[in-house]
Amino acid sequence: MKYKNFGIVITCLKYSDNLKKVLFSISEQSIKPKQVVVCYSEYHKFFSNNKLIKYVKSKYKNQVYQRKVAVNNIDKKIDILIQLDDKIQLQKNCLYNLLNEWNCSEKKVVGIGLNCINFDKPSKGFLHKLLLINSNTYGEVLRSGYPVGWGNISKNYRSQWLNGGMVSWKYKSIKQKIKNRKF
């Protein structure tokens, strides 16, 4: 299957400079998403003449609940759903490269994480080893349950988990899981 339609959901408390930068980074993409849904929890008047962006209010300040609200407002024709935190800015060709990655991926792949270029994983020290709170392997879930992040990496990795604030999913594969998820 060839994927072509991206939908993006962004959770936030309110309109902020960070959210403004995220939306600008989306508008600067070489290919555009079909729809962007911003779910906020604190009252704010949104002024936008961009028909691709839909603002919806959440009654709870909770990312999981807000993603659920946003997904309930996403277009049904979306192939790939991208979840972003309100601090994740996309490089100019991010969506183009992500679409290529999806179209070259194995059929069994359900999610692909994004690379946060302004993240540097802390070095692994004695205390990290003792408490099992860091690893040299990106995307690993340690025996302690601690998920090791990734970012500023130069090649693709297979991961045991995906960061909910910078991830893409096959929409049809996960929409019911998001809609039914408890918060």
Side-chain angles (χ1 to χ4, degrees):
M1 174 178 186
K2 291 292 181 191
Y3 302 103
K4 60 182 178 179
N5 292 320
F6 285 107
I8 300 175
V9 297
I10 302 169
T11 60
C12 64
L13 293 175
K14 60 185 177 184
Y15 195 80
S16 66
D17 286 339
N18 284 332
L19 178 60
K20 193 175 179 180
K21 290 175 185 175
V22 173
L23 294 173
F24 180 76
S25 76
I26 293 169
S27 73
E28 292 291 298
Q29 292 298 300
S30 54
I31 62 171
K32 306 293 187 232
K34 183 170 179 61
Q35 182 184 28
V36 177
V37 177
V38 177
C39 187
Y40 61 97
S41 58
E42 292 181 7
Y43 177 77
H44 188 87
K45 280 192 171 184
F46 289 92
F47 297 101
S48 175
N49 57 0
N50 189 331
K51 302 286 186 215
L52 293 178
I53 301 175
K54 180 177 186 177
Y55 295 96
V56 294
K57 178 138 177 33
S58 168
K59 59 184 174 181
Y60 299 111
K61 293 179 186 178
N62 179 289
Q63 277 189 334
V64 173
Y65 183 81
Q66 286 176 255
R67 285 189 187 123
K68 182 177 178 174
V69 170
V71 168
N72 283 331
N73 284 276
I74 203 83
D75 190 296
K76 308 287 185 265
K77 295 177 184 168
I78 296 298
D79 299 320
I80 302 297
L81 177 71
I82 300 172
Q83 294 176 185
L84 294 178
D85 284 345
D86 64 346
K87 294 177 180 73
I88 304 297
Q89 296 175 39
L90 305 178
Q91 286 188 316
K92 181 139 180 106
N93 289 318
C94 179
L95 294 183
Y96 175 80
N97 293 330
L98 184 60
L99 185 63
N100 284 340
E101 193 63 37
W102 272 109
N103 285 324
C104 294
S105 68
E106 300 171 20
K107 190 175 182 176
K108 66 182 178 179
V109 173
V110 176
I112 296 177
L114 300 173
N115 183 20
C116 185
I117 61 169
N118 63 345
F119 171 82
D120 290 316
K121 191 169 76 164
S123 58
K124 186 176 174 184
F126 174 74
L127 191 57
H128 293 117
K129 291 178 187 175
L130 183 66
L131 298 175
L132 290 173
I133 57 172
N134 202 351
S135 167
N136 292 327
T137 306
Y138 292 113
E140 180 180 19
V141 177
L142 303 178
R143 288 182 300 161
S144 64
Y146 183 85
V148 179
W150 66 88
N152 206 12
I153 55 178
S154 58
K155 64 178 187 170
N156 292 340
Y157 285 89
R158 291 201 178 268
S159 178
Q160 294 176 335
W161 73 286
L162 293 172
N163 184 330
M166 53 183 202
V167 67
S168 63
W169 302 100
K170 284 182 188 170
Y171 180 58
K172 288 177 178 49
S173 298
I174 57 95
K175 70 180 174 184
Q176 282 311 116
K177 289 180 182 173
I178 291 175
K179 288 180 179 187
N180 296 332
R181 188 169 177 198
K182 303 290 184 211
F183 68 99

